[in-house]
Amino acid sequence: MMSITEKIKENLRIKIQNNLKRDYIRKILNIIGSRAVLLTYGATFSSKSDKYLNIVSIKNIKKSYSSKYPVAFGSLFLPYELFHSLEIVPFLPEVMAGFTGGLGLTDRTLKEASSKWYTPDLCTFHRCASGAVELELFPIPQFLICATLACDAAQKTFFIDAKKYGIEDNFYLVDIPYEKNSQSISYLAEQFEMISEDICKKLKKDLDLSKFANTIKLSNEFRYWALKVNELRKELAVYPKNFNGLNFILPFHGLAGTNDAVVLYKNIYKEFKRLLDEQKNKKIDTAKIKRLLWLHLKPYYKNDIFSLIEKNNYILAFEEINYVYWPELNSKKPFESLAIKALSHPLNGSVQNRVNAITEMVKDYRIDGVILFSHWGCRHSNGGGRIIKDSLKKIDIPVLILDGDCLNKNNSSEGQITTRLQGFMEILDSKF
Ligand code: SF4
């Protein structure tokens, strides 16, 4: 039987599917994003983490649709402190493509993208986002900022979007250097500063460094709580119902530098701390629970992957996307700090950076097996699959490369995924 939350979500899904228009989405967000509804809706969640995740996500998506603030499209691997300091509301098309997947709109957005000649070998996050832009479902941006880091698709699709909106002059391509050293930090910091000055000029306002200082202070606070959450997860084996760490991509990236991210991660910490205390008090035998590390993202349509994992007494002990990869930022050197943050991303530079980060996660979270969800069209992530597998083999950690598609269920074989996942868990079981 469906819970109240599931019923609300299903109802919204059907309404949006039947009224596929930007104005209608805005109307729905205004209703569900009102304080009273958010509080009531929030009360229907079974866990604090899920409740705050939904509240902060709805609040920020509503803001981007409100037409009250300048909106900027941003690609995933940018330091979003930049947006919040400039008071431009970030809208992350790839992440929002994930939301459209959850709303069951993928067939429509993909069809639209195909009809506009977007090639099918392009990652479906971008094809869905481009389809949504063509269908005029996303808010109209005033700026588009895109990083060259990891994602080869973003720079092309964002530029096409800029042309569609007639704002090519407001399209910024941030060139993230391959190496992290003092030269590359200065080069990248200069780009962030120039972009900030140009955006302020276009918005007819002065560059306010006190805003950067405040955002960086909040970003460090968010980082502090995220690290504390990650620390608890080294021992935590009993998670709140419906918790899935792969759902946190929007706050972890797009809300870095906001109070919302601080509130969310502080609340996750409190919830996990209570659960860990309970786990210890009740002397729950965690030795039998096997621990997986998940690389890349997951399918955002209905699937049985995670219930199958749970049924077999496995947990996602950690996910690559929740790894705090950057050092504490310096509010006195905002542009340099943001450059360091971007350059510290394990997906930047040599694949060895990613392998090193994964190896650290494997050790910290006492991982028994690793799953790399090989999402269709993600050249960067999939390209490193074999190297990751071979590197972890040397430390006796099995890796399953699970081919599929995060958004297009027609491009993922459910039966094959289930069989391979089951086979992988059997291999791990035989090692115990
Ligand atoms: S999955 Fe890969 S190609 Fe697609 S948006 Fe993410 S990084 Fe880019």
Side-chain angles (χ1 to χ4, degrees):
M1 215 174 98
M2 272 189 191
S3 67
I4 300 177
T5 320
E6 282 164 346
K7 271 188 202 155
I8 297 174
K9 280 188 180 167
E10 188 53 30
N11 199 7
L12 284 177
R13 233 189 305 256
I14 293 168
K15 280 191 168 152
I16 292 178
Q17 281 172 5
N18 293 334
N19 296 279
L20 215 48
K21 289 191 181 77
R22 184 188 292 129
D23 284 345
Y24 189 75
I25 297 173
R26 183 181 296 126
K27 193 173 139 196
I28 291 280
L29 284 164
N30 281 339
I31 298 169
I32 60 168
S34 71
R35 207 177 142 69
V37 177
L38 269 188
L39 285 175
T40 323
Y41 182 54
T44 61
F45 284 92
S46 50
S47 73
K48 259 193 179 183
S49 40
D50 217 15
K51 170 182 157 176
Y52 280 95
L53 172 67
N54 276 274
I55 288 180
V56 301
S57 303
I58 291 171
K59 192 180 143 191
N60 284 281
I61 298 169
K62 178 187 160 191
K63 206 171 162 190
S64 62
Y65 271 89
S66 72
S67 310
K68 289 185 191 151
Y69 313 92
V71 170
F73 280 11
S75 65
L76 186 63
F77 303 107
L78 285 164
Y80 276 86
E81 294 84 349
L82 182 81
F83 293 64
H84 301 300
S85 304
L86 295 169
E87 293 178 316
I88 50 177
V89 178
F91 186 84
L92 288 73
E94 301 105 306
V95 175
M96 291 311 297
F99 278 78
T100 59
L103 287 169
L105 303 177
T106 308
D107 288 349
R108 310 266 282 272
T109 50
L110 283 177
K111 195 171 156 212
E112 186 64 24
S114 296
S115 76
K116 296 285 179 335
W117 301 104
Y118 283 87
T119 164
D121 72 339
L122 190 72
C123 150
T124 28
F125 282 108
H126 282 287
R127 264 191 298 148
C128 284
S130 299
V133 167
E134 296 292 344
L135 287 167
E136 304 192 342
L137 301 182
F138 285 171
I140 300 172
Q142 202 165 331
F143 303 99
L144 300 100
I145 312 177
C146 181
T148 55
L149 201 160
C151 188
D152 66 314
Q155 32 197 304
K156 294 156 198 150
T157 56
F158 274 41
F159 187 67
I160 296 172
D161 295 346
K163 283 184 95 160
K164 179 180 163 66
Y165 295 117
I167 52 168
E168 291 100 310
D169 284 351
N170 289 2
F171 168 79
Y172 304 93
L173 182 61
V174 184
D175 179 24
I176 313 267
Y178 189 79
E179 303 276 352
K180 183 179 163 192
N181 54 39
S182 56
Q183 251 183 327
S184 64
I185 293 170
S186 311
Y187 170 69
L188 186 53
E190 254 175 56
Q191 293 182 60
F192 286 141
E193 189 165 359
M194 271 162 47
I195 291 171
S196 302
E197 279 167 357
D198 198 57
I199 288 179
C200 285
K201 205 166 104 196
K202 285 172 179 157
L203 290 175
K204 297 188 179 31
K205 63 181 190 178
D206 293 330
L207 182 65
D208 184 351
L209 289 180
S210 71
K211 295 238 159 63
F212 277 84
N214 188 44
T215 304
I216 285 181
K217 186 181 138 277
L218 288 170
S219 176
N220 283 336
E221 241 181 279
F222 144 67
R223 178 180 176 277
Y224 169 82
W225 288 107
L227 280 171
K228 280 177 79 78
V229 167
N230 289 354
E231 193 57 35
L232 291 179
R233 296 190 66 191
K234 289 178 183 169
E235 283 188 84
L236 191 66
V238 184
Y239 280 85
K241 200 169 161 238
N242 300 329
F243 175 83
N244 188 318
L246 295 161
N247 290 339
F248 288 76
I249 191 133
L250 175 64
F252 196 81
H253 288 86
L255 300 185
T258 66
N259 194 44
D260 283 340
V262 177
V263 171
L264 172 64
Y265 280 83
K266 204 190 269 189
N267 275 292
I268 304 175
Y269 172 77
K270 283 187 199 159
E271 179 167 59
F272 284 12
K273 176 82 178 71
R274 183 182 53 76
L275 288 171
L276 185 59
D277 289 345
E278 252 174 51
Q279 182 181 306
K280 286 179 180 166
N281 292 341
K282 289 184 184 163
K283 296 194 173 56
I284 293 174
D285 181 12
T286 57
K288 290 200 183 84
I289 301 173
K290 279 143 267 167
R291 304 169 66 81
L292 296 172
L293 172 68
W294 190 277
L295 308 182
H296 204 247
L297 296 162
K298 63 164 184 161
Y300 288 92
Y301 42 85
K302 234 171 162 219
N303 65 82
D304 292 328
I305 294 177
F306 300 98
S307 50
L308 187 66
I309 286 175
E310 201 182 315
K311 235 186 269 166
N312 282 276
N313 214 16
Y314 279 75
I315 56 163
L316 292 197
F318 201 61
E319 310 78 21
E320 182 183 27
I321 63 153
N322 291 314
Y323 176 64
V324 178
Y325 55 83
W326 66 98
E328 202 175 328
L329 310 181
N330 181 349
S331 59
K332 293 201 180 94
K333 293 183 179 172
F335 301 112
E336 194 177 292
S337 291
L338 300 185
I340 293 171
K341 184 176 179 190
L343 287 164
S344 305
H345 200 291
L347 287 180
N348 196 42
S350 157
V351 69
Q352 194 55 44
N353 296 341
R354 190 180 182 198
V355 170
N356 293 346
I358 292 169
T359 310
E360 190 185 313
M361 291 177 235
V362 164
K363 288 183 182 145
D364 283 352
Y365 293 90
R366 293 173 289 110
I367 295 298
D368 299 303
V370 175
I371 297 176
L372 166 63
F373 192 77
S374 181
H375 166 67
W376 171 261
C378 185
R379 294 161 179 82
H380 196 102
S381 179
N382 302 344
R386 184 69 209 210
I387 299 172
I388 294 168
K389 193 171 173 144
D390 289 349
S391 306
L392 294 187
K393 197 175 173 194
K394 289 183 195 147
I395 53 168
D396 202 23
I397 298 293
V399 176
L400 171 68
I401 298 180
L402 204 49
D403 295 316
D405 194 308
C406 294
L407 291 181
N408 186 5
K409 60 179 181 313
N410 302 324
N411 200 24
S412 268
S413 161
E414 212 180 323
Q416 200 181 71
I417 287 181
T418 308
T419 311
R420 296 197 60 215
L421 193 55
Q422 242 152 0
F424 184 63
M425 289 188 286
E426 276 164 28
I427 292 173
L428 293 181
D429 287 343
S430 67
K431 288 182 80 195
F432 279 86

